[in-house]
């Protein structure tokens, strides 16, 4: 008999596949948490996959959140699982193999009991980037990081860990215990009948669709209570659909643990959130034009099947204003015909800015960390968030670039916080070459919002072209019209005055 311990929906899928492919002839014990029971009230159907006994654990009952005593924390873990196994008549000595899926507490328990086990990473690439065990931060007073290191769980160095199973998509682990394990590839090895049985367990809505998917959106998990849950999740999803989608239909797959309530939108099909994204190819097919993933490792299971991909980290929630300003700046630049310029970005959130530029221009982007600029015609995008501790160095390099760059190079100051902090880093003689642009959001419910970005350029001819340029974008999901044009009349004077005042 073998034993599996899982925490997440992805891990539950992973262990089902592993049971089919490695321990098909053996009975198994499966430990799932109470969250699985809520999400899958049909959990007893897992017995069809060879799990002869299913045990439910509740993490919140294992250890006290208030103690910072590491020994008490460990003792509570041992006491909890001892009692749980005694109640369910489980003898670990009778297990031929034990598999722990990125679980800190249960792995500590196994080590305390001197039991050998196999350790799986938390999700695709987590072993390389985050370590082999993960947990939610700020829920306990005890130093779990120190415990994980003490027990050799971050890197799998503990002698009781037989092998480490991980996906090498984020890099190869330099560890003799490491074993490649790709859920998507293992899933392909199963028969269609077995795949269908797995899909049926996770979701009853699994009729395979034949229509091509223009936009597939895989959306992040956000813990309820960690932010204004429904409104923040809905707002971010609408933002992603509006600013990163392409024309056509949308298929949206939210995280299995995402409990937010979303609006219904025309032309959007929702995939049952309980279905692991790794099963999507067998539900929606392979014809995906534009894949957008927001802070989910499911991206790596589907990225090779899409014509165009876009991965957004959690930073996208913080960077919404900067992204919308950047998109409108790029649309304005396109109107002027600067597509052949070299595009560069500098500052925080450069990875998301790079994605935005590549989406709208389909070209390579320079991400600058040191010196500014090249010897070519350049579009340099900067947000105010760059300055920080390196403010003096930034000022020196930026002004050097402005003096030496090609006359038709431009610098776009996105100023996403609207405080014009960048003005303090520009030498006085550079201000006559600055243009200010008004971005107006005309919302469906009748209100308007104004923002400003600023573009610097030495060429009189190009500045005139820029001054006459304007662009418009319609956001279908929020029913918003966004316009960008030169700031005229009193607004332009106000901008120039603010620049002068900030300089003083």
């Amino acid at each position: 008999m073998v034993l599996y311990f899982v925490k997440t929906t992805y891990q539950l899928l992973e262990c089902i596949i592993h049971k089919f492919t490695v321990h098909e002839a053996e009975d198994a014990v499966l430990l799932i948490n109470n969250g699985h029971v809520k999400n899958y009230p049909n959990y007893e159907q897992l017995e069809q996959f060879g799990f002869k006994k299913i045990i439910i654990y509740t993490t919140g009952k294992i250890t006290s959140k208030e103690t910072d005593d590491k020994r008490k924390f460990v003792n509570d873990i041992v006491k909890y699982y001892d009692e749980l196994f005694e109640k369910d008549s489980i003898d670990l000595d009778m297990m031929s193999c034990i598999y722990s899926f990125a679980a800190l507490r249960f792995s500590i328990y196994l080590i305390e009991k001197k039991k050998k086990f196999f350790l799986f990473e938390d999700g695709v690439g987590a072993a390389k980037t985050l370590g082999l065990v993960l947990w939610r931060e700020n829920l306990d007073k005890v130093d779990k990081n120190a415990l994980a290191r003490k027990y050799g769980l971050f890197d799998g160095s503990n002698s009781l860990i037989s092998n480490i199973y991980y996906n090498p998509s984020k890099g190869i682990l330099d560890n003799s215990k490491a074993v490649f394990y790709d859920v998507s590839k293992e899933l392909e090895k199963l028969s269609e009948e077995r795949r269908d049985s797995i899909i049926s367990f996770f979701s009853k809505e699994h009729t395979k669709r034949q229509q091509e998917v223009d936009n597939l959106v895989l959306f992040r998990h956000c813990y309820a209570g960690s932010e204004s849950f429904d409104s923040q999740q809905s707002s971010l999803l609408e933002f992603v659909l509006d600013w990163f989608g392409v024309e056509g239909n949308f298929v949206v797959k939210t995280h299995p643990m995402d409990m937010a309530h979303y609006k219904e939108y025309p032309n959007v099909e929702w995939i049952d959130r309980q279905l692991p994204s790794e099963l999507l190819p067998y539900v929606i097919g392979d014809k995906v034009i534009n894949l957008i993933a927001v802070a989910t490792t499911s991206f790596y299971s589907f990225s090779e099947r899409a014509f165009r991909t876009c991965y957004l980290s959690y930073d996208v929630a913080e960077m919404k204003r900067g992204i919308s300003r950047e998109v409108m700046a790029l649309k304005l630049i396109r109107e002027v015909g600067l597509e052949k310029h070299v595009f560069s970005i500098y500052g925080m959130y450069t990875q998301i800015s790079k994605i935005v530029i590549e989406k709208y221009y389909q070209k390579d982007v320079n991400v600058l960390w040191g010196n500014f600029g090249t010897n070519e015609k350049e579009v340099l995008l900067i947000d105010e968030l760059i300055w920080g501790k390196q403010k003096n160095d930034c000022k020196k390099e930026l002004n050097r670039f402005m003096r030496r760059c090609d006359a038709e190079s431009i610098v776009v100051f996105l100023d996403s916080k609207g405080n014009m902090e960048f003005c303090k880093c520009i030498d006085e003689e550079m201000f006559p070459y600055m243009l200010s642009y008004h971005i107006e959001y005309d919302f469906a419910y009748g209100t308007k919002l104004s923002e400003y970005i600023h573009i610097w350029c030495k060429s009189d001819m190009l500045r005139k072209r820029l001054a006459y340029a304007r662009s418009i974008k319609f956001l279908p999901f929020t029913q918003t019209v966004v316009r960008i044009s030169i700031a005229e009349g009193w607004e332009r004077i106000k901008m120039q005055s603010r620049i002068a005042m900030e300089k003083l």
Side-chain angles (χ1 to χ4, degrees):
M1 184 171 282
V2 299
L3 183 145
Y4 290 91
F5 179 102
V6 299
K7 298 189 302 178
T8 68
T9 299
Y10 170 79
Q11 293 166 6
L12 179 57
L13 170 66
E14 195 173 19
C15 97
I16 293 170
I17 297 169
H18 189 271
K19 172 70 174 67
F20 269 146
T21 55
V22 179
H23 296 290
E24 181 179 11
E26 295 183 73
D27 290 339
V29 175
L30 173 63
L31 273 75
I32 59 175
N33 61 49
N34 59 324
H36 287 124
V37 176
K38 292 177 184 176
N39 286 333
Y40 305 104
N42 62 328
Y43 72 91
E44 291 181 347
Q45 293 177 14
L46 289 165
E47 292 179 3
Q48 68 181 301
F49 304 131
F51 299 108
K52 294 305 180 184
K53 181 164 284 194
I54 301 168
I55 301 174
I56 301 163
Y57 68 90
T58 304
T59 302
K61 294 182 178 180
I62 300 174
T63 52
S64 167
K65 295 181 176 62
E66 301 304 317
T67 184
D68 59 1
D69 185 333
K70 297 186 185 68
R71 191 63 251 171
K72 183 180 186 318
F73 188 82
V74 171
N75 288 342
D76 286 346
I77 292 170
V78 173
K79 181 175 183 291
Y80 177 86
Y81 284 111
D82 276 349
E83 292 176 353
L84 187 66
F85 288 148
E86 182 179 359
K87 184 185 73 172
D88 285 285
S89 303
I90 298 298
D91 184 355
L92 292 182
D93 291 333
M94 300 301 294
M95 301 299 159
S96 60
C97 293
I98 301 174
Y99 298 93
S100 176
F101 285 70
L104 173 67
R105 289 178 177 84
F106 189 66
S107 297
I108 287 175
Y109 174 75
L110 293 172
I111 292 169
E112 286 289 312
K113 290 293 185 177
K114 304 292 190 292
K115 301 299 180 186
K116 284 187 172 291
F117 63 101
F118 299 87
L119 186 60
F120 278 76
E121 67 179 343
D122 184 68
V124 178
K128 185 69 176 178
T129 57
L130 300 170
L132 282 161
V133 290
L134 295 178
W135 54 83
R136 288 176 63 184
E137 293 290 351
N138 304 321
L139 292 183
D140 301 280
K141 288 184 179 179
V142 74
D143 187 347
K144 288 183 283 189
N145 190 296
L147 278 170
R149 295 188 186 285
K150 174 186 174 183
Y151 283 89
L153 290 171
F154 267 136
D155 57 2
S157 59
N158 193 290
S159 61
L160 290 169
I161 298 173
S162 301
N163 285 116
I164 298 162
Y165 288 86
Y166 81 107
N167 187 308
S169 60
K170 289 279 190 172
I172 304 297
L173 285 183
D174 185 16
N175 191 314
S176 60
K177 299 179 182 180
V179 176
F180 291 0
Y181 195 83
D182 187 322
V183 171
S184 296
K185 287 184 171 55
E186 295 298 320
L187 196 56
E188 290 175 2
K189 297 176 183 177
L190 298 180
S191 67
E192 185 175 358
E193 181 182 2
R194 282 197 163 167
R195 280 198 301 266
D196 285 346
S197 69
I198 295 173
I199 292 170
S200 294
F201 168 76
F202 285 103
S203 172
K204 300 303 180 186
E205 307 165 11
H206 67 277
T207 303
K208 189 160 184 175
R209 62 198 310 287
Q210 301 300 323
Q211 183 185 4
E212 183 175 84
V213 178
D214 297 309
N215 298 275
L216 172 60
V217 180
L218 306 176
F219 202 51
R220 72 175 190 171
H221 172 35
C222 180
Y223 289 110
S226 63
E227 49 185 290
S228 181
F229 191 57
D230 274 17
S231 62
Q232 290 287 349
Q233 285 286 86
S234 296
S235 175
L236 180 59
L237 179 59
E238 288 180 341
F239 178 84
V240 169
L241 297 176
D242 271 336
W243 292 95
F244 290 94
V246 299
E247 187 175 350
N249 60 28
F250 286 78
V251 173
V252 178
K253 168 67 177 65
T254 58
H255 191 278
M257 299 300 287
D258 182 357
M259 304 300 178
H261 298 90
Y262 297 97
K263 301 175 186 174
E264 292 294 328
Y265 307 101
N267 212 27
V268 172
E269 178 183 347
W270 298 83
I271 298 293
D272 187 350
R273 67 179 177 85
Q274 305 292 5
L275 185 77
S277 296
E278 290 71 24
L279 294 170
L280 275 174
Y282 308 101
V283 175
I284 67 169
D286 291 336
K287 298 177 180 178
V288 175
I289 302 301
N290 185 40
L291 169 63
I292 310 164
V294 181
T296 171
T297 56
S298 300
F299 170 79
Y300 302 105
S301 300
F302 217 96
S303 58
E304 294 181 0
R305 303 172 186 269
F307 175 73
R308 190 166 72 189
T309 63
C310 173
Y311 181 85
L312 304 171
S313 66
Y314 270 99
D315 290 341
V316 69
E318 302 172 33
M319 196 52 184
K320 285 165 64 175
R321 292 183 67 182
I323 290 171
S324 57
R325 290 172 182 231
E326 183 176 356
V327 171
M328 296 312 294
L330 291 172
K331 286 178 68 64
L332 190 78
I333 290 166
R334 177 176 282 168
E335 292 293 326
V336 181
L338 305 184
E339 287 91 343
K340 293 184 179 180
H341 277 46
V342 173
F343 281 72
S344 300
I345 50 180
Y346 184 84
M348 293 177 69
Y349 309 115
T350 50
Q351 199 56 42
I352 289 180
S353 293
K354 184 175 186 289
I355 288 168
V356 173
I357 295 171
E358 290 173 343
K359 168 181 165 54
Y360 282 89
Y361 281 96
Q362 286 82 55
K363 65 185 296 177
D364 292 334
V365 181
N366 295 320
V367 178
L368 305 179
W369 300 104
N371 295 335
F372 289 103
T374 66
N375 295 321
E376 304 174 71
K377 295 178 181 179
E378 185 164 2
V379 174
L380 173 59
L381 291 99
I382 299 177
D383 203 337
E384 67 173 341
L385 295 171
I386 68 167
W387 309 119
K389 295 179 181 178
Q390 290 76 38
K391 183 172 180 177
N392 291 332
D393 291 338
C394 287
K395 178 177 180 178
K396 181 180 177 181
E397 291 296 332
L398 180 58
N399 284 284
R400 182 184 305 179
F401 169 72
M402 288 176 158
R403 289 189 176 90
R404 297 180 180 180
C405 69
D406 185 281
E408 292 199 0
S409 289
I410 70 172
V411 181
V412 180
F413 296 97
L414 299 175
D415 190 31
S416 62
K417 283 192 174 179
N419 59 13
M420 301 186 74
E421 178 73 15
F422 68 90
C423 294
K424 298 176 182 178
C425 293
I426 300 175
D427 289 344
E428 188 173 357
E429 62 266 31
M430 298 299 165
F431 282 101
Y433 305 119
M434 189 77 73
L435 297 171
S436 295
Y437 288 84
H438 179 212
I439 301 177
E440 183 179 57
Y441 299 81
D442 190 353
F443 299 106
Y445 44 83
T447 61
K448 296 181 184 293
L449 172 69
S450 290
E451 295 181 340
Y452 294 90
I453 65 170
H454 314 276
I455 297 180
W456 177 94
C457 177
K458 285 192 292 189
S459 167
D460 292 338
M461 184 70 70
L462 181 53
R463 273 204 321 281
K464 287 179 181 177
R465 286 162 55 198
L466 284 165
Y468 283 106
R470 61 194 64 238
S471 189
I472 188 169
K473 181 174 176 64
F474 177 65
L475 309 178
F477 291 93
T478 52
Q479 294 290 296
T480 302
V481 178
V482 189
R483 299 180 178 87
I484 183 170
S485 59
I486 196 75
E488 297 177 349
W490 71 271
E491 291 176 323
R492 187 173 182 183
I493 293 170
K494 182 176 72 171
M495 287 296 100
Q496 291 173 333
S497 298
R498 283 188 66 186
I499 289 173
M501 284 166 48
E502 288 286 345
K503 187 63 183 174
L504 294 174

